[in-house]
Amino acid sequence: MSALATPRPQRVVIIDDTADLRDLLRIALTRGGFDVVGEAGDGSSGIEVVRHHRPDVVLLDLAMPVMDGIEALPSIRRLCPAAKIVVLSGFGAQQMSARAVAAGADGYVQKGAPLTTILDYVRGVTSTPGERKPLRSLAVVPVADPVADPPATPARPVEPAAEPPAQAPAAQTAGAETAERDAARASTREALDLAPYGVLELADEPLFRIVHANPVAVRLLGIDRTGTPLAVAAPDLAALVSFHRLDTDASFETELEGGRVKATLRRTGWSVLVYLDSTGEDVGRLRRAIATTAHEVRGPVAVLCGIAETLAWDGDTMAYDQTRRLMDSVARQARILDRITADLLTAAQIQRGTLRIDHQVVDLRPVILGVVEGRGDVEVVIDDPRPVRADPLRLEQMLTNLLSNAHKYGAAPFRVHVRPEGAHVAIDVVDHGPGVPSEFREHLFREFARAHGAVATGTGLGLYVVRTLARAQNGDVVHTPGPDGGSVFSITLLAT
């Protein structure tokens, strides 16, 4: 009498930089009869885990630090020629599936798909051993590559009323006329401050000193100092304004700190107005921002949906420790979503000119320890105990952004080092990753900036928000290459 041999469950390795998602996938695959034998958080470590375990199935994320999935795929395929490799990613299939197939993938599934759908898909891919199935994708919404619309000529902006002619020569009316004129100018400025385009008011003189700049113009110029000669803030724009100063309704294009704009000149009785329209570029940047922000939001949402699905399956019988881990995951992913929405809100406040800072005397130690809580790989060194003048909530936002940036693009060990710098206190956030490419360093703190070709994604707002908040608190933030590799981002704030 012979017994039938029990088939060996297929052995799986999960490679993804989100530990919470790895946990959910392990639960789902184990429940579905697979044997999860190894995990890794980046492509390089994943190759070593695959080398050690020689699995039957590999679930591989595309966007990871150190080494992304596309780079790791050929090595994994050479190590396990017969294994089924299923790519997991938040990217649209139309953008990445061809590259994944060329590198050796057997299947593609988006992270936003339900866990049951992912499980069924993996079963389908592994149901025909020795045969690579045509690449399929799940839960994919095709997303076209955003391209900025061509700049449109704006409607003629509202202009300040011309200086009213004097109706009476009597001296007693001069004061009233001056007050009326000043009130008209003030109300006009208030209206222009709400305009979606930039407005510069310049003194009608050779230096073209800046009399007033609305919030959009401040963002485009990268400077906000009344009385500054335009040549200091924007030399190219100043030269063009000087050249066209006598023209009627002159228009031209130029490059500013905040991007390329179409400038239009208008003259009043007392000044020169320059309207800066970057609508076409702003629309393109907005589309790119929506696409990348959607990708950033999709990851935490996928984890939260997966947790809800897992609890619906086994919540009544799940062990306490596992339930506790899932609840910790909910808190982590909710904090990530909160950080993303905080950056979006702050960026909107910056552009509208409504950013508010609550200056207080702040003890740095509790703020820093609160930010690094739960991050076991971050060392805190405080060599300067002086309090600083800052907004504690904004300071927490700045440190959170810099640490998240270090974890996304850098590598351990991580350190937060508080040190004296003259009348200021410097807070260094240090990582030991590959560092920032030299050609990208001058763009680091620009809005929606991301290094060309980087696989790790983000909203492109984090560092822009950090610098703006630092300067609004009478401080600054700078980047320097680490002495032993990696990056050092240093916030400086005035000590009290």
Side-chain angles (χ1 to χ4, degrees):
M1 184 175 179
S2 61
L4 293 174
T6 303
R8 176 180 67 84
Q10 299 211 46
R11 303 163 74 250
V12 182
V13 165
I14 303 171
I15 307 172
D16 192 289
D17 63 336
T18 304
D20 293 336
L21 184 58
R22 294 200 306 269
D23 198 21
L24 288 172
L25 290 170
R26 184 177 63 253
I27 293 172
L29 290 165
T30 301
R31 186 175 183 271
F34 292 90
D35 180 15
V36 178
V37 296
E39 299 179 17
D42 63 74
S44 180
S45 301
I47 290 172
E48 295 307 312
V49 172
V50 169
R51 189 192 310 276
H52 177 72
H53 290 286
R54 307 286 173 163
D56 305 301
V57 183
V58 178
L59 297 188
L60 178 66
D61 186 22
L62 288 184
M64 294 182 292
V66 184
M67 178 185 287
D68 62 64
I70 291 292
E71 291 179 281
L73 244 169
S75 297
I76 293 173
R77 174 56 68 201
R78 285 194 298 271
L79 288 170
C80 297
K84 297 296 185 181
I85 303 175
V86 177
V87 168
L88 286 166
S89 180
F91 290 105
Q94 289 186 343
Q95 296 172 319
M96 300 299 291
S97 60
R99 291 183 63 191
V101 173
D106 293 280
Y108 181 105
V109 60
Q110 278 194 239
K111 290 181 180 179
L115 290 176
T116 51
T117 306
I118 294 176
L119 181 59
D120 288 343
Y121 182 69
V122 173
R123 283 174 174 155
V125 170
T126 59
S127 64
T128 53
E131 177 185 339
R132 290 187 67 189
K133 298 179 68 175
L135 188 75
R136 298 165 52 214
S137 62
L138 298 174
V140 174
V141 178
V143 179
D145 189 33
V147 178
D149 287 340
T153 301
R156 184 184 179 96
V158 178
E159 301 179 28
E163 186 174 3
Q167 297 296 320
Q172 63 268 25
T173 64
E177 289 178 355
T178 301
E180 183 180 350
R181 182 168 64 248
D182 289 344
R185 292 174 67 180
S187 62
T188 300
R189 284 177 180 173
E190 290 175 1
L192 291 176
D193 278 351
L194 301 176
Y197 43 80
V199 185
L200 274 177
E201 184 178 2
L202 307 174
D204 193 2
E205 60 179 40
L207 288 179
F208 293 115
R209 287 177 299 103
I210 298 175
V211 177
H212 181 71
N214 76 344
V216 177
V218 169
R219 176 172 63 86
L220 291 171
L221 287 174
I223 192 170
D224 183 19
R225 290 202 295 270
T226 301
T228 300
L230 183 61
V232 174
D236 292 345
L237 177 61
L240 289 166
V241 170
S242 180
F243 182 79
H244 292 284
R245 64 180 298 176
L246 299 179
D247 296 347
T248 302
D249 293 347
S251 294
F252 46 84
E253 291 191 2
T254 188
E255 194 77 29
L256 298 178
E257 177 72 19
R260 190 160 188 83
V261 300
K262 179 179 179 181
T264 303
L265 300 189
R266 301 280 189 268
R267 302 185 67 86
T268 73
W270 56 82
S271 61
V272 176
L273 293 177
V274 183
Y275 297 95
L276 305 171
D277 175 42
S278 61
T279 304
E281 182 166 333
D282 284 349
V283 168
R285 288 200 300 173
L286 178 61
R287 288 177 176 173
R288 290 191 291 274
I290 290 172
T292 54
T293 302
H295 177 268
E296 287 295 288
V297 168
R298 185 165 194 151
V301 169
V303 172
L304 293 173
C305 290
I307 290 171
E309 191 177 353
T310 300
L311 292 174
W313 286 345
D314 302 316
D316 294 339
T317 59
M318 190 174 288
Y320 172 80
D321 288 347
Q322 194 168 57
T323 303
R324 182 71 265 165
R325 283 204 312 274
L326 293 179
M327 292 301 99
D328 289 343
S329 297
V330 169
R332 273 192 298 273
Q333 299 304 318
R335 284 194 294 270
I336 292 172
L337 288 174
D338 181 66
R339 175 174 55 81
I340 294 170
T341 54
D343 283 350
L344 290 171
L345 176 60
T346 301
Q349 291 172 335
I350 292 167
Q351 293 195 11
R352 291 198 305 265
T354 59
L355 181 66
R356 297 292 179 266
I357 299 295
D358 179 18
H359 287 284
Q360 301 178 26
V361 176
V362 178
D363 182 0
L364 288 174
R365 182 182 294 273
V367 175
I368 293 172
L369 293 180
V371 170
V372 304
E373 184 179 3
R375 300 176 186 261
D377 54 358
V378 180
E379 176 190 14
V380 176
V381 179
I382 299 181
D383 290 332
D384 187 348
R386 291 179 295 172
V388 297
R389 185 83 174 163
D391 183 325
L393 293 179
R394 296 300 192 180
L395 178 57
E396 181 179 327
Q397 183 180 2
M398 293 156 64
L399 289 171
T400 299
N401 280 2
L402 290 182
L403 279 171
S404 298
N405 192 70
H407 280 82
K408 184 185 291 287
Y409 298 103
F414 304 102
R415 185 171 74 256
V416 177
H417 181 203
V418 181
R419 57 180 175 80
E421 191 168 292
H424 293 78
V425 175
I427 309 167
D428 298 335
V429 177
V430 184
D431 73 75
H432 292 79
V436 178
S438 57
E439 66 275 10
F440 182 65
R441 289 171 190 167
E442 65 177 295
H443 306 289
L444 260 178
F445 296 97
R446 291 185 180 177
E447 190 180 17
F448 302 130
R450 280 180 304 280
H452 177 69
V455 176
T457 58
T459 61
L461 289 172
L463 294 178
Y464 165 74
V465 165
V466 170
R467 171 163 282 185
T468 304
L469 291 178
R471 291 178 173 176
Q473 296 171 85
N474 301 310
D476 206 351
V477 60
V478 297
H479 163 268
T480 54
D484 302 316
S487 294
V488 180
F489 286 89
S490 302
I491 300 170
T492 52
L493 296 169
L494 191 65
T496 59

